[in-house]
Amino acid sequence: VIFKTDITNKEANEIQIIKQVMEELNKKIIKDPTNLEVILQLAETKFLLGYLNDALNLYKKARSISPENIEIIKAETKVRVILENKKLSEESLDLFNQILLVEPKNLLALYILGNHAFEKNNYSEAYQMFKVLRGLLKEGSEEYNDIEKKIFEIEKRNEKHNK
């Protein structure tokens, strides 16, 4: 399929072509609503263009077709993190737990679940996740230092409770 526009502005031309691609993908989904490849292509396109709710709905649809597909789950959770911001739903947290079962060193899942445990005062769970995460991060990086501070804070709390 070749896409043509008569727009001379390069950026406007690119946006028009992307919109045409989305229309083509939508048509393919109408013809074959369970075509996982097309659903994922459209979800990714919608995500990149900032249509986050549409992208989330498409990733959910893809997950309903292939519920154990870790790549779909990871893509969906990335959209959820943006949409839900600091108030992650139980469904999102469950998905991050599923990711950790398959990928125990997944940085995003460790970070999200560790921080969630920390905020809920579940320091032993947060501590375990942060220890794993710290070992995966580059020493001295901003992320490493942030996790190091939280580990130190948990260790200080434990010292106070053990006295």
Side-chain angles (χ1 to χ4, degrees):
V1 179
I2 296 175
F3 298 102
K4 295 183 179 180
T5 66
D6 29 347
I7 301 170
T8 54
N9 177 308
K10 184 180 177 193
E11 287 178 18
N13 195 29
E14 289 170 352
I15 290 170
Q16 186 61 34
I17 289 170
I18 291 169
K19 285 184 177 178
Q20 288 176 352
V21 168
M22 281 194 326
E23 287 174 25
E24 287 299 313
L25 291 170
N26 274 323
K27 287 177 187 174
K28 287 181 181 180
I29 287 177
I30 290 169
K31 287 180 186 171
D32 184 3
T34 60
N35 185 326
L36 198 55
E37 184 179 334
V38 175
I39 293 168
L40 292 172
Q41 287 174 349
L42 185 57
E44 183 67 17
T45 304
K46 296 259 187 186
F47 174 75
L48 293 173
L49 292 176
Y51 298 106
L52 300 179
N53 286 314
D54 291 346
L56 178 60
N57 289 330
L58 287 162
Y59 283 126
K60 285 181 181 179
K61 181 175 182 173
R63 187 166 49 92
S64 74
I65 295 167
S66 182
E68 302 299 317
N69 185 318
I70 196 67
E71 296 307 316
I72 293 171
I73 294 171
K74 289 185 335 189
E76 181 180 337
T77 56
K78 286 179 186 173
V79 178
R80 286 174 168 281
V81 165
I82 296 167
L83 283 174
E84 295 173 5
N85 202 358
K86 294 190 181 214
K87 297 180 195 259
L88 290 176
S89 67
E90 285 302 314
E91 185 176 6
S92 294
L93 295 170
D94 289 343
L95 292 173
F96 278 113
N97 278 309
Q98 286 180 39
I99 292 169
L100 275 188
L101 290 173
V102 177
E103 296 181 4
K105 294 182 178 181
N106 183 286
L107 297 176
L108 183 59
L110 287 165
Y111 182 80
I112 294 289
L113 293 172
N115 276 312
H116 179 74
F118 188 83
E119 290 166 9
K120 297 290 183 193
N121 300 328
N122 185 345
Y123 298 115
S124 63
E125 184 178 329
Y127 186 77
Q128 294 306 315
M129 293 203 184
F130 289 156
K131 293 272 289 192
V132 173
L133 186 56
R134 180 178 64 183
L136 299 171
L137 296 171
K138 182 179 180 205
E139 192 171 341
S141 68
E142 185 178 337
E143 296 84 3
Y144 180 93
N145 293 337
D146 179 49
I147 296 304
E148 188 70 17
K149 283 180 198 169
K150 288 181 177 168
I151 289 172
F152 181 72
E153 188 177 328
I154 293 169
E155 288 172 344
K156 266 176 73 173
R157 286 177 192 266
N158 288 341
E159 282 178 19
K160 286 181 184 176
H161 284 44
N162 291 337
K163 286 186 178 180

